[in-house]
Amino acid sequence: MSIKEQLEADGTAALKNKDRVRLGVIRMVRSQVKNAEIAKRHELSNEETIDVLVSAVKARRETRAYANEGHRDELVQQAEQELKILEAYLPQALSEKELRGIIDAAIQGTGATGMNDMGQVMGKVMPQVKGQADGKQVNGMVRTLLQSLSG
């Protein structure tokens, strides 16, 4: 079952169960997927749908951070609820060990020798970990590993 089909089925179930939060999140994501399909003029693949979900997750994380800074506990709770719902549709997150293996392979594959090669390594790693690792986490790990090579 594709992610879009899963969203459709879960939306129907949330409507029947009167789960307003889940229904709202699913409707929002389905709307974003539809808008992306209109913009790209074709039906989105699972990978493209994951891109939409990743951007929605990123937006919720930013909302949570800003609400935390503003001491808005109700908004933090809402963002966390929405995050749990959205993350259920993403592929399982990579462990730190798995991520390090992918980064090490990318460093070897590109022949990276230091920080100047960060763009090449990130360009090779990010498509492989899309939806499975946070970009900030990947960036930090790549930076650490490249600094250890040059230093």
Side-chain angles (χ1 to χ4, degrees):
M1 179 180 281
S2 74
I3 294 173
K4 284 176 39 182
E5 292 168 340
Q6 186 66 47
L7 285 166
E8 183 78 33
D10 291 352
T12 302
L15 185 62
K16 287 179 182 176
N17 296 332
K18 296 182 170 112
D19 186 346
R20 293 180 189 271
V21 175
R22 181 174 297 279
L23 181 61
V25 171
I26 290 172
R27 283 181 172 167
M28 179 268 313
V29 170
R30 286 177 50 201
S31 172
Q32 289 178 343
V33 167
K34 188 68 175 168
N35 289 339
E37 287 178 341
I38 291 169
K40 293 185 178 198
R41 297 180 182 204
H42 66 82
E43 193 169 324
L44 297 185
S45 66
N46 258 354
E47 291 77 27
E48 291 170 318
T49 305
I50 287 173
D51 290 341
V52 172
L53 284 165
V54 166
S55 75
V57 166
K58 183 178 178 184
R60 292 308 170 287
R61 286 184 179 146
E62 289 173 358
T63 299
R64 181 178 60 188
Y66 290 134
N68 233 347
E69 288 174 13
H71 304 290
R72 300 281 310 268
D73 294 334
E74 71 281 356
L75 291 179
V76 171
Q77 275 186 321
Q78 180 183 352
E80 286 179 0
Q81 279 183 318
E82 292 175 358
L83 268 170
K84 284 180 186 176
I85 294 166
L86 290 169
E87 288 172 343
Y89 295 101
L90 292 174
Q92 187 174 357
L94 293 171
S95 69
E96 197 168 314
K97 185 177 179 181
E98 292 169 322
L99 182 57
R100 184 178 174 122
I102 291 170
I103 293 171
D104 285 339
I107 288 172
Q108 290 175 356
T110 59
T113 57
M115 288 302 294
N116 292 340
D117 301 316
M118 178 127 180
Q120 285 180 318
V121 174
M122 288 295 291
K124 193 162 180 110
V125 171
M126 287 310 292
Q128 294 178 45
V129 300
K130 185 174 287 187
Q132 298 176 305
D134 181 49
K136 288 181 182 180
Q137 178 190 14
V138 174
N139 186 303
M141 194 176 280
V142 168
R143 185 175 301 277
T144 302
L145 291 172
L146 288 177
Q147 285 173 343
S148 70
L149 286 177
S150 60

